[in-house]
Amino acid sequence: MATTTTTKPTSNKDETLNGVVERITYHAPDSGFTVAKMQVKGFRDLVAIIGNFPNIQAGMTLSVQGYWYDHPKHGQQFQVKNYTESKPATLTGIEKYLGSGLIRGVGPVTAKRIVAYFQLDTLEIIENQIERLVEVPGIGKKRVKMIQDTWAEQKAIKDVMIFLQGHGVSTTYAVKIFKQYGNNAIAIVSENPFQLAIDVHGIGFATANQIAIQLGISPWSKYRYKSGVLHILSQAAEDGHCFLPLPELVNEAVELLSFDDFDADKEAVRQIVTDMVESEELKVEVAEGEMWLCYKPTFYYTEANLAKLLLKHLEKPVTVDLKRVANWIERYTKSKKIKLSPQQTEAVIKAVSSRVMVLTGGPGCGKTFTQETLTSLWQAMGKKIGLAAPTGRAAQRLGEMTGLEAKTLHRLLEFDPKKMGFKRDKDNPLPFDAVIVDEASMVDLFLAHSLIKAVAPDCQLLLVGDCDQLESVGPGKVLTDLLESGKIPVVKLTQVFRQAASSAIIRNAHQINQGQYPKLEPISHKPKSDCLLHPGGSKPEDSVEAIALLLTDFIPKQGFDPRNDVQVLCPMTKGLVGTRNLNQVLQQLLNPSHPDKPEVTAMGKTIRVSDRIIQLRNDYNRDIYNGDLGVVKGINHIEKSLTIQVNDRDVEYDFADLNEVALAWSISIHKSQGSEYPVVIMPISMSHYVMLSRNLVYTGLTRAKKLTIIVGDSKAIGIAVKQGHRRQRYTRLVERLSEKTQISF
């Protein structure tokens, strides 16, 4: 009679175990680190295996090589060094293999039906006669086609996955690489892995560099140096810069390219930059003192052409009878029983008589009513008006204010995913006589260029925005540059109206702008102010606890719904009081796991139905853009997809695309621009020191419509209020509009 092993030997000697994966205890998609339980022949209990598996699912039959060791907490485990996969040979194994999620269109229930019908011939049928799956009750031709496509894709990417597995690339990125390059994936990656950083979203220089090291590519490789330079410029663009001065670019590239005992050479980097300029992979402009300013070509040409188009647009004068305009304003305000301030009157008159104008000012200064008055005036003049804003929420507010249809800028300009560009341009301009763009501080270099290209020569343009808010998430500081250039007519509203001044939020916003410490009421059970201070605590974890208590106790008592009315805004993403950690805490607090609530864990994050979600990048195919907020409405494990409601419409995402979204119970202040919320909770602490600035706090504070609660200490708030911009963005739009730029080459 055969004996059954009940305990496992402990040894450093390599062994081989063969078995079927029963369940996955833990799997990190990025690193592949996995803890799983495997049924091994000869062992009564399941064996715990630990190792790196780029793609592991319950039901897989594995042969694993490794050694036993004693874990101080979890007992004996098998450390896997290498493994091979074979197809399961038992009915149970086949059923688990098919239903593991590996094949889109087949869940556990469908897998059970297929195996019950075809028994041990199941895999042979799928491999060679997949059309026979229609014989299985409940499976139609559409489902068979989905299974067939996924099965073929899994087979095709197997070689790519095996190759990349040995070079530290996760399964998810392996699939993306295969979709990008197809059967040429291995050849391209082997020759120049740094191409991945350019072509595949989510793979940056660090990952490409790691692959290159393991492939034995020389650290002096021109591909590596070029990729490093482009990576530095891409990172600079994420910080809002349009270019970098050569010394800064070289220093950052040397730091990036050096590792272990290898020090990158400054002169080599300079030579690569020179080579890239000659091959037109970079553009250089010579500034004062013979300083080289290094651009990616798209940034250079976009900035230069934006200035050229603006100057050309300004050349054409606007003819208008100002006396008739003044009479109309008098009649209009009398009929509305309101009175425009002198600044508002000036703004309306200047806008109606200018080709391009900027209207700016803080909260409560009348930007809204000025726009409403101007819109009515243009309508009275018979002009066709286009209204837009960078975000869906801002566009919705603009439409409600004017009574006209307002769109996001991307929809106004009619983005075409097929050509990855806008349909509206100089050859097909916008069909309007006047265009108003609200929240213009959010408009970055590229969107501004696309807008100006699409404005017809006879069209008038009004840009409205608060120049004291944070600059755009994307590169450039267009609104600020237009104000500083002196070339664009500007009206800045400064008078705070009496009704608005009754709000402590608005009063404090203007105090912060003037560098004064805001008057914040200490939080109490019956607050008299709409701008409150919770002291948080001496440690970051105290602030996290304070935010949790506010949401569970104080907020409901004030008549607000913590799930739908409140937005937590943070200066940073990292740290205990950053968006990443707070999202985990708030998800468990506001939308905890429940057996009846579907959820998915992928791309290192867990997302549940009813979770609040934010889009992290522009997705033109889905017509969703960086910063758009949504709510998860459904998760389909068979289809491997989830449905997110964004801007009042349902959008489908594959699980593999979840790196494009993040939880949004807490978001950065930068991402909150253009949005308003009934209640804002904003932690401000010394742990945020590197990000603290006046316009950061000002922007966060003014996102609230009814109540702002700052959680933090007075020292951090004081530093933020006194601190202007942490770092000015590198742009040359002011110089180009002033025609002070030197010749580029």
Side-chain angles (χ1 to χ4, degrees):
M1 183 176 177
T3 59
T4 301
T5 305
T6 58
T7 61
K8 311 171 189 66
T10 302
S11 165
N12 289 325
K13 184 179 179 182
D14 282 358
E15 297 183 29
T16 298
L17 301 180
N18 298 296
V20 177
V21 177
E22 286 291 322
R23 64 175 182 267
I24 310 299
T25 305
Y26 175 79
H27 176 69
D30 291 338
S31 65
F33 176 76
T34 303
V35 180
K37 292 296 182 75
M38 192 166 78
Q39 181 66 64
V40 180
K41 187 176 181 180
F43 289 83
R44 184 182 65 192
D45 299 327
L46 295 177
V47 174
I49 61 171
I50 315 294
N52 290 318
F53 297 82
N55 186 29
I56 186 169
Q57 303 284 348
M60 283 184 171
T61 300
L62 301 179
S63 177
V64 295
Q65 297 82 45
Y67 58 88
W68 295 99
Y69 75 99
D70 271 320
H71 190 281
K73 182 177 180 181
H74 302 294
Q76 291 177 316
Q77 299 179 333
F78 191 79
Q79 178 67 50
V80 178
K81 296 166 65 177
N82 299 292
Y83 75 95
T84 55
E85 176 193 355
S86 58
K87 292 177 182 176
T90 65
L91 290 178
T92 302
I94 295 171
E95 188 178 306
K96 286 191 175 185
Y97 181 72
L98 289 179
S100 65
L102 190 67
I103 305 168
R104 189 176 181 183
V106 179
V109 174
T110 305
K112 195 175 190 69
R113 289 179 188 158
I114 294 172
V115 174
Y117 191 88
F118 290 114
Q119 298 288 305
L120 291 175
D121 294 330
T122 296
L123 295 179
E124 179 68 24
I125 294 294
I126 293 176
E127 188 80 42
N128 299 308
Q129 303 177 62
I130 198 166
E131 66 279 357
R132 287 191 59 194
L133 288 180
V134 294
E135 299 173 19
V136 179
I139 297 182
K141 291 183 178 180
K142 184 178 179 181
R143 178 69 61 83
V144 171
K145 181 65 167 62
M146 185 189 302
I147 296 170
Q148 184 176 25
D149 291 345
T150 308
W151 184 263
E153 186 178 79
Q154 287 292 331
K155 287 174 60 181
I157 69 171
K158 187 173 182 180
D159 289 343
V160 175
M161 289 174 62
I162 291 172
F163 170 78
L164 295 172
Q165 174 193 349
H167 300 95
V169 180
S170 70
T171 306
T172 300
Y173 289 135
V175 174
K176 286 179 175 287
I177 291 168
F178 179 79
K179 286 181 178 179
Q180 179 70 34
Y181 302 127
N183 294 328
N184 296 322
I186 293 176
I188 291 172
V189 172
S190 298
E191 179 184 357
N192 178 18
F194 296 102
Q195 193 66 32
L196 297 174
I198 298 172
D199 296 337
V200 183
H201 175 72
I203 294 184
F205 175 82
T207 301
N209 191 49
Q210 189 60 40
I211 296 171
I213 291 171
Q214 295 193 33
L215 286 171
I217 290 176
S218 168
W220 292 277
S221 163
K222 66 177 181 180
Y223 293 132
R224 183 169 184 269
Y225 270 57
K226 283 185 178 182
S227 181
V229 167
L230 293 174
H231 175 75
I232 295 297
L233 289 173
S234 295
Q235 290 297 107
E238 290 187 11
D239 291 333
H241 301 301
C242 296
F243 65 86
L244 282 180
L246 181 61
E248 194 169 326
L249 174 61
V250 170
N251 288 339
E252 291 190 25
V254 166
E255 183 178 349
L256 175 72
L257 295 168
S258 299
F259 67 96
D260 295 337
D261 296 328
F262 170 75
D263 292 325
D265 182 74
K266 279 190 176 184
E267 288 308 313
V269 174
R270 288 177 183 273
Q271 184 58 52
I272 282 291
V273 170
T274 301
D275 293 345
M276 294 175 76
V277 171
E278 290 178 356
S279 61
E280 298 186 346
E281 293 170 272
L282 291 182
K283 288 291 291 184
V284 165
E285 191 163 68
V286 182
E288 296 79 3
E290 300 300 308
M291 172 69 71
W292 277 23
L293 308 179
C294 303
Y295 285 83
K296 283 187 174 181
T298 52
F299 285 72
Y300 172 81
Y301 290 117
T302 301
E303 189 180 70
N305 202 40
L306 172 59
K308 180 180 177 182
L309 290 171
L310 276 168
L311 291 172
K312 185 176 181 181
H313 207 64
L314 289 166
E315 287 175 356
K316 188 162 188 177
V318 176
T319 303
V320 63
D321 187 336
L322 294 181
K323 186 175 180 180
R324 290 186 65 186
V325 168
N327 290 335
W328 182 93
I329 293 174
E330 184 178 351
R331 293 195 306 272
Y332 178 79
T333 53
K334 186 179 290 186
S335 68
K336 293 286 185 179
K337 296 181 180 180
I338 51 91
K339 186 177 181 180
L340 293 178
S341 71
Q343 288 180 334
Q344 288 178 308
T345 302
E346 179 195 1
V348 173
I349 292 174
K350 187 172 284 190
V352 81
S353 56
S354 298
R355 186 62 60 192
V356 181
M357 195 194 97
V358 173
L359 173 65
T360 187
C365 291
K367 293 194 303 294
T368 297
F369 191 69
T370 303
Q371 290 178 77
E372 184 181 335
T373 303
L374 177 63
T375 302
S376 298
L377 173 55
W378 269 335
Q379 284 182 302
M381 296 171 70
K383 290 182 179 290
K384 186 177 180 182
I385 304 167
L387 302 176
T391 68
R393 291 179 182 234
Q396 183 179 357
R397 288 201 312 273
L398 181 60
E400 291 169 353
M401 172 190 71
T402 59
L404 300 175
E405 182 186 17
K407 300 179 179 181
T408 64
L409 276 168
H410 286 86
R411 287 182 180 169
L412 184 81
L413 298 172
E414 300 177 26
F415 187 84
D416 183 359
K418 293 181 180 178
K419 70 174 188 176
M420 290 303 289
F422 294 106
K423 293 180 181 178
R424 295 293 178 179
D425 55 22
K426 63 182 178 64
D427 298 320
N428 181 31
L430 292 166
F432 303 113
D433 303 303
V435 172
I436 298 176
V437 177
D438 202 6
E439 297 288 354
S441 63
M442 298 178 63
V443 178
D444 66 19
L445 172 70
F446 292 99
L447 193 53
H449 181 242
S450 296
L451 171 66
I452 299 302
K453 274 201 305 183
V455 173
D458 292 329
C459 182
Q460 292 176 263
L461 175 64
L462 175 67
L463 300 173
V464 184
D466 186 344
C467 60
D468 294 313
Q469 286 190 29
L470 289 168
E471 285 135 351
S472 57
V473 174
K477 50 184 179 74
V478 176
L479 184 66
T480 302
D481 285 346
L482 294 183
L483 293 171
E484 292 179 357
S485 71
K487 292 288 186 177
I488 312 293
V490 174
V491 174
K492 183 171 184 178
L493 304 178
T494 57
Q495 179 185 334
V496 180
F497 287 88
R498 185 181 302 171
Q499 184 177 357
S502 65
S503 165
I505 293 174
I506 291 177
R507 292 198 307 272
N508 281 324
H510 288 278
Q511 281 188 269
I512 289 169
N513 254 347
Q514 295 164 15
Q516 300 172 9
Y517 192 92
K519 294 179 180 178
L520 305 171
E521 179 185 311
I523 197 162
S524 62
H525 292 298
K526 295 182 179 180
K528 297 178 182 178
S529 172
D530 59 2
C531 202
L532 308 177
L533 173 66
H534 189 298
S538 58
K539 300 176 182 177
E541 49 264 39
D542 296 334
S543 294
V544 176
E545 184 177 350
I547 292 169
L549 287 172
L550 285 170
L551 288 166
T552 55
D553 184 43
F554 180 80
I555 293 296
K557 287 179 179 177
Q558 305 309 308
F560 296 108
D561 179 356
R563 287 170 56 92
N564 299 312
D565 294 337
V566 183
Q567 183 63 63
V568 178
L569 302 180
C570 290
M572 299 174 64
T573 58
K574 298 178 181 178
L576 282 177
V577 201
T579 58
R580 290 177 189 168
N581 181 61
L582 279 174
N583 269 318
Q584 301 301 315
V585 173
L586 299 183
Q587 183 191 45
Q588 288 302 108
L589 190 70
L590 300 173
N591 193 32
S593 180
H594 189 276
D596 296 332
K597 182 174 292 183
E599 66 178 49
V600 58
T601 299
M603 309 300 293
K605 66 190 79 174
T606 297
I607 293 177
R608 302 184 182 115
V609 167
S610 299
D611 268 334
R612 194 183 296 170
I613 296 297
I614 187 168
Q615 179 75 14
L616 299 178
R617 59 185 288 261
N618 290 339
D619 188 328
Y620 299 109
N621 291 311
R622 293 188 177 95
D623 193 21
I624 299 177
Y625 304 99
N626 189 354
D628 280 352
L629 293 174
V631 176
V632 178
K633 291 298 182 182
I635 295 176
N636 189 326
H637 283 279
I638 294 178
E639 299 282 346
K640 301 298 174 191
S641 67
L642 73 164
T643 303
I644 301 177
Q645 187 181 69
V646 184
N647 298 329
D648 298 321
R649 62 190 181 91
D650 290 343
V651 183
E652 296 295 319
Y653 284 76
D654 290 335
F655 286 175
D657 295 327
L658 292 185
N659 63 328
E660 295 184 10
V661 300
L663 291 171
W665 299 108
S666 173
I667 64 175
S668 70
I669 296 173
H670 225 133
K671 294 277 190 181
S672 74
Q673 292 182 88
S675 296
E676 288 183 342
Y677 316 95
V679 181
V680 163
I681 297 176
M682 182 167 54
I684 301 291
S685 71
M686 292 304 294
S687 64
H688 302 132
Y689 179 78
V690 297
M691 292 296 294
L692 295 180
S693 67
R694 186 181 304 164
N695 58 350
L696 184 93
V697 179
Y698 172 85
T699 301
L701 183 74
T702 53
R703 297 310 89 204
K705 292 190 290 186
K706 297 181 179 179
L707 178 64
T708 295
I709 306 173
I710 296 179
V711 178
D713 58 76
S714 57
K715 182 180 179 182
I717 297 169
I719 290 172
V721 169
K722 291 178 182 178
Q723 178 71 53
H725 292 274
R726 277 284 177 180
R727 183 183 182 187
Q728 290 292 336
R729 295 185 172 194
Y730 290 128
T731 75
R732 296 277 281 173
L733 185 57
V734 172
E735 288 81 0
R736 295 186 196 288
L737 288 170
S738 304
E739 299 176 343
K740 292 180 181 178
T741 53
Q742 296 188 29
I743 298 173
S744 64
F745 61 92

